[in-house]
Amino acid sequence: MAESTQHAPDTSGLEVAIVGAGNGGLAVAGYVGLGGARVRLFDIVADRIEPIATRGGIDVTGAVSGFAPVAVATTDPEHAVAGADIVVLVVAGPDQAAAARPVLGGSLHGD
């Protein structure tokens, strides 16, 4: 099999907050981190965040691979989104409203 020539897109200069440190959130964080973005990762589950905070990033394997730095890995939603150019919500459908509330600083329209 031929070696992959795919690369992460150039995301340098962007501050990207990822809400959700499950499989999908880690994939997004790793991909934009490999592209050069300053990644801010938030999850309510400390056990998902602590290893990433300790290592300072995520090992990415697949079509693109490498070590993706994570500047902020936290369970504090305000800290996670402070200064972000983009906020990406990566949680299961039924959990989206609950995950978005603290990031938006309160209730959602219609609550």
Side-chain angles (χ1 to χ4, degrees):
M1 179 183 283
E3 187 173 317
S4 172
T5 58
Q6 293 183 6
H7 302 282
D10 182 6
T11 56
S12 38
L14 288 176
E15 186 99 8
V16 180
I18 311 294
V19 177
N23 292 336
L26 294 179
V28 173
Y31 195 63
V32 299
L34 286 176
R38 186 167 190 274
V39 175
R40 308 176 71 83
L41 183 63
F42 163 74
D43 201 284
I44 61 171
V45 179
D47 288 346
R48 290 182 180 169
I49 292 296
E50 289 168 358
I52 298 162
T54 299
R55 288 209 60 222
I58 303 164
D59 288 313
V60 179
T61 59
V64 295
S65 61
F67 183 77
V70 173
V72 174
T74 183
T75 57
D76 178 346
E78 290 179 17
H79 184 56
V81 301
D85 298 308
I86 300 169
V87 176
V88 182
L89 184 68
V90 190
V91 296
D95 299 326
Q96 289 175 352
R101 271 187 203 91
V103 171
L104 296 173
S107 66
L108 298 172
H109 179 71
D111 284 347

